[in-house]
Amino acid sequence: MSEPIVRVRLCLEDILRGRVPLFDGVEALLRFAAQVPALVDDRDVARLAGILAEAEHLPIGPARARWSAEALARLDPELMALERRHRAPVHYCCRRLQETLSR
């Protein structure tokens, strides 16, 4: 099994088990999925990319370290609301991707 596929599988597990913030996990998952030819045109990967695009103006991932405390305090409620709204669809896509990789 290739390293990118292993990383995708680990990201899927981290997201589904809540080990990482939702959008941080999706961002990492998409980075690794781009290295797996079988996932390049996958509809669940595309849907996750669309969901992540809704959060592009928010402080996620390593970029949070460059945001001021005031900006984080102002934007975190919006980020949390977006995570709550998208948790079920993200988990659905992740489970489908697990099935895809199991074939």
Side-chain angles (χ1 to χ4, degrees):
M1 187 176 312
S2 74
E3 183 179 339
I5 290 175
V6 170
R7 290 181 182 261
V8 166
R9 286 178 187 260
L10 291 172
C11 280
L12 291 168
E13 281 296 316
D14 286 346
I15 293 167
L16 290 169
R17 293 179 186 264
R19 293 181 191 143
V20 294
L22 190 69
F23 289 110
D24 292 4
V26 170
E27 184 178 55
L29 174 64
L30 293 174
R31 228 180 15 257
F32 296 128
Q35 300 171 28
V36 178
L39 297 180
V40 171
D41 294 323
D42 185 89
R43 68 181 175 182
D44 292 304
V45 170
R47 186 170 181 201
L48 290 170
I51 290 170
L52 183 63
E54 290 186 41
E56 69 185 3
H57 66 287
L58 296 170
I60 60 172
R64 282 185 70 83
R66 296 187 300 273
W67 288 67
S68 71
E70 296 82 20
L72 291 173
R74 188 178 71 252
L75 293 172
D76 276 349
E78 181 182 354
L79 178 60
M80 297 301 112
L82 200 58
E83 283 190 0
R84 280 191 303 276
R85 187 168 77 236
H86 288 299
R87 186 167 311 283
V90 166
H91 283 198
Y92 175 78
C93 289
C94 287
R95 286 189 297 275
R96 285 177 46 93
L97 283 168
Q98 284 179 323
E99 291 173 11
T100 297
L101 292 173
S102 295
R103 295 182 197 144

